[in-house]
mmCIF file of all heavy atoms in Angstrom:
data_model
loop_
_atom_site.group_PDB
_atom_site.id
_atom_site.type_symbol
_atom_site.label_atom_id
_atom_site.label_comp_id
_atom_site.label_asym_id
_atom_site.label_seq_id
_atom_site.Cartn_x
_atom_site.Cartn_y
_atom_site.Cartn_z
ATOM 1 N N SER A 282 -19.317 6.505 8.957
ATOM 2 C CA SER A 282 -20.666 7.069 8.911
ATOM 3 C C SER A 282 -21.333 7.043 10.281
ATOM 4 O O SER A 282 -22.314 7.744 10.513
ATOM 5 C CB SER A 282 -21.524 6.300 7.902
ATOM 6 O OG SER A 282 -21.636 4.936 8.283
ATOM 7 N N LYS A 283 -20.778 6.253 11.207
ATOM 8 C CA LYS A 283 -21.336 6.167 12.551
ATOM 9 C C LYS A 283 -20.591 7.059 13.538
ATOM 10 O O LYS A 283 -20.778 6.964 14.751
ATOM 11 C CB LYS A 283 -21.308 4.715 13.032
ATOM 12 C CG LYS A 283 -22.120 3.772 12.145
ATOM 13 C CD LYS A 283 -22.047 2.340 12.653
ATOM 14 C CE LYS A 283 -22.841 1.405 11.738
ATOM 15 N NZ LYS A 283 -22.770 -0.006 12.196
ATOM 16 N N GLY A 284 -19.709 7.904 12.997
ATOM 17 C CA GLY A 284 -18.990 8.842 13.842
ATOM 18 C C GLY A 284 -17.710 8.293 14.436
ATOM 19 O O GLY A 284 -17.012 8.998 15.164
ATOM 20 N N ALA A 285 -17.354 7.053 14.125
ATOM 21 C CA ALA A 285 -16.135 6.467 14.664
ATOM 22 C C ALA A 285 -14.974 6.703 13.705
ATOM 23 O O ALA A 285 -15.167 6.931 12.515
ATOM 24 C CB ALA A 285 -16.330 4.971 14.885
ATOM 25 N N THR A 286 -13.772 6.672 14.215
ATOM 26 C CA THR A 286 -12.577 6.766 13.393
ATOM 27 C C THR A 286 -11.764 5.497 13.632
ATOM 28 O O THR A 286 -10.875 5.456 14.485
ATOM 29 C CB THR A 286 -11.742 8.010 13.748
ATOM 30 O OG1 THR A 286 -12.578 9.161 13.674
ATOM 31 C CG2 THR A 286 -10.573 8.179 12.788
ATOM 32 N N PRO A 287 -12.079 4.435 12.904
ATOM 33 C CA PRO A 287 -11.464 3.140 13.175
ATOM 34 C C PRO A 287 -10.027 3.025 12.691
ATOM 35 O O PRO A 287 -9.305 2.138 13.096
ATOM 36 C CB PRO A 287 -12.366 2.174 12.408
ATOM 37 C CG PRO A 287 -12.889 3.004 11.274
ATOM 38 C CD PRO A 287 -13.039 4.399 11.807
ATOM 39 N N ASN A 288 -9.610 3.908 11.817
ATOM 40 C CA ASN A 288 -8.277 3.804 11.249
ATOM 41 C C ASN A 288 -7.848 5.165 10.724
ATOM 42 O O ASN A 288 -8.690 6.016 10.423
ATOM 43 C CB ASN A 288 -8.265 2.761 10.115
ATOM 44 C CG ASN A 288 -6.865 2.282 9.796
ATOM 45 O OD1 ASN A 288 -6.071 2.007 10.690
ATOM 46 N ND2 ASN A 288 -6.545 2.185 8.520
ATOM 47 N N ASP A 289 -6.536 5.381 10.598
ATOM 48 C CA ASP A 289 -6.054 6.674 10.128
ATOM 49 C C ASP A 289 -5.771 6.701 8.633
ATOM 50 O O ASP A 289 -5.278 7.700 8.114
ATOM 51 C CB ASP A 289 -4.824 7.118 10.921
ATOM 52 C CG ASP A 289 -3.694 6.089 10.889
ATOM 53 O OD1 ASP A 289 -3.922 4.966 10.395
ATOM 54 O OD2 ASP A 289 -2.595 6.405 11.375
ATOM 55 N N HIS A 290 -6.066 5.591 7.924
ATOM 56 C CA HIS A 290 -5.904 5.528 6.469
ATOM 57 C C HIS A 290 -7.161 4.946 5.835
ATOM 58 O O HIS A 290 -7.879 4.170 6.464
ATOM 59 C CB HIS A 290 -4.718 4.635 6.088
ATOM 60 C CG HIS A 290 -3.378 5.199 6.421
ATOM 61 N ND1 HIS A 290 -2.543 5.742 5.470
ATOM 62 C CD2 HIS A 290 -2.722 5.304 7.604
ATOM 63 C CE1 HIS A 290 -1.428 6.138 6.054
ATOM 64 N NE2 HIS A 290 -1.521 5.894 7.348
ATOM 65 N N LEU A 291 -7.386 5.308 4.578
ATOM 66 C CA LEU A 291 -8.472 4.734 3.793
ATOM 67 C C LEU A 291 -7.885 3.808 2.726
ATOM 68 O O LEU A 291 -6.780 4.034 2.231
ATOM 69 C CB LEU A 291 -9.296 5.840 3.128
ATOM 70 C CG LEU A 291 -9.962 6.844 4.072
ATOM 71 C CD1 LEU A 291 -10.646 7.946 3.274
ATOM 72 C CD2 LEU A 291 -10.954 6.163 5.004
ATOM 73 N N MET A 292 -8.637 2.793 2.381
ATOM 74 C CA MET A 292 -8.187 1.849 1.360
ATOM 75 C C MET A 292 -8.342 2.453 -0.032
ATOM 76 O O MET A 292 -9.270 3.226 -0.305
ATOM 77 C CB MET A 292 -9.020 0.564 1.453
ATOM 78 C CG MET A 292 -8.639 -0.492 0.434
ATOM 79 S SD MET A 292 -9.565 -2.025 0.675
ATOM 80 C CE MET A 292 -11.263 -1.454 0.480
ATOM 81 N N VAL A 293 -7.415 2.082 -0.914
ATOM 82 C CA VAL A 293 -7.424 2.519 -2.314
ATOM 83 C C VAL A 293 -7.433 1.277 -3.197
ATOM 84 O O VAL A 293 -6.733 0.297 -2.905
ATOM 85 C CB VAL A 293 -6.188 3.381 -2.631
ATOM 86 C CG1 VAL A 293 -6.156 3.767 -4.107
ATOM 87 C CG2 VAL A 293 -6.158 4.626 -1.754
ATOM 88 N N SER A 294 -8.206 1.310 -4.269
ATOM 89 C CA SER A 294 -8.219 0.178 -5.196
ATOM 90 C C SER A 294 -8.276 0.667 -6.634
ATOM 91 O O SER A 294 -8.745 1.784 -6.911
ATOM 92 C CB SER A 294 -9.400 -0.761 -4.911
ATOM 93 O OG SER A 294 -10.631 -0.108 -5.152
ATOM 94 N N ALA A 295 -7.797 -0.147 -7.538
ATOM 95 C CA ALA A 295 -7.836 0.170 -8.966
ATOM 96 C C ALA A 295 -7.547 -1.099 -9.754
ATOM 97 O O ALA A 295 -6.834 -1.993 -9.274
ATOM 98 C CB ALA A 295 -6.821 1.250 -9.321
ATOM 99 N N ASP A 296 -8.090 -1.182 -10.953
ATOM 100 C CA ASP A 296 -7.807 -2.294 -11.845
ATOM 101 C C ASP A 296 -6.679 -1.920 -12.805
ATOM 102 O O ASP A 296 -6.594 -0.762 -13.260
ATOM 103 C CB ASP A 296 -9.039 -2.675 -12.666
ATOM 104 C CG ASP A 296 -10.108 -3.382 -11.846
ATOM 105 O OD1 ASP A 296 -9.903 -3.557 -10.625
ATOM 106 O OD2 ASP A 296 -11.142 -3.737 -12.435
ATOM 107 N N VAL A 297 -5.839 -2.892 -13.104
ATOM 108 C CA VAL A 297 -4.770 -2.724 -14.083
ATOM 109 C C VAL A 297 -5.058 -3.668 -15.236
ATOM 110 O O VAL A 297 -5.295 -4.863 -15.027
ATOM 111 C CB VAL A 297 -3.396 -3.050 -13.459
ATOM 112 C CG1 VAL A 297 -2.288 -2.876 -14.488
ATOM 113 C CG2 VAL A 297 -3.142 -2.185 -12.234
ATOM 114 N N ILE A 298 -5.058 -3.134 -16.458
ATOM 115 C CA ILE A 298 -5.287 -3.948 -17.648
ATOM 116 C C ILE A 298 -3.924 -4.343 -18.204
ATOM 117 O O ILE A 298 -3.129 -3.478 -18.591
ATOM 118 C CB ILE A 298 -6.078 -3.178 -18.723
ATOM 119 C CG1 ILE A 298 -7.358 -2.582 -18.119
ATOM 120 C CG2 ILE A 298 -6.407 -4.090 -19.895
ATOM 121 C CD1 ILE A 298 -8.296 -3.583 -17.510
ATOM 122 N N ILE A 299 -3.643 -5.637 -18.217
ATOM 123 C CA ILE A 299 -2.330 -6.128 -18.650
ATOM 124 C C ILE A 299 -2.455 -6.837 -19.985
ATOM 125 O O ILE A 299 -3.294 -7.743 -20.160
ATOM 126 C CB ILE A 299 -1.752 -7.075 -17.582
ATOM 127 C CG1 ILE A 299 -1.587 -6.315 -16.254
ATOM 128 C CG2 ILE A 299 -0.411 -7.649 -18.042
ATOM 129 C CD1 ILE A 299 -1.084 -7.153 -15.122
#
Side-chain angles (χ1 to χ4, degrees):
S282 61
K283 300 179 181 179
T286 306
N288 199 44
D289 56 351
H290 290 256
L291 300 175
M292 180 176 60
V293 177
S294 65
D296 287 1
V297 180
I298 308 301
I299 299 178

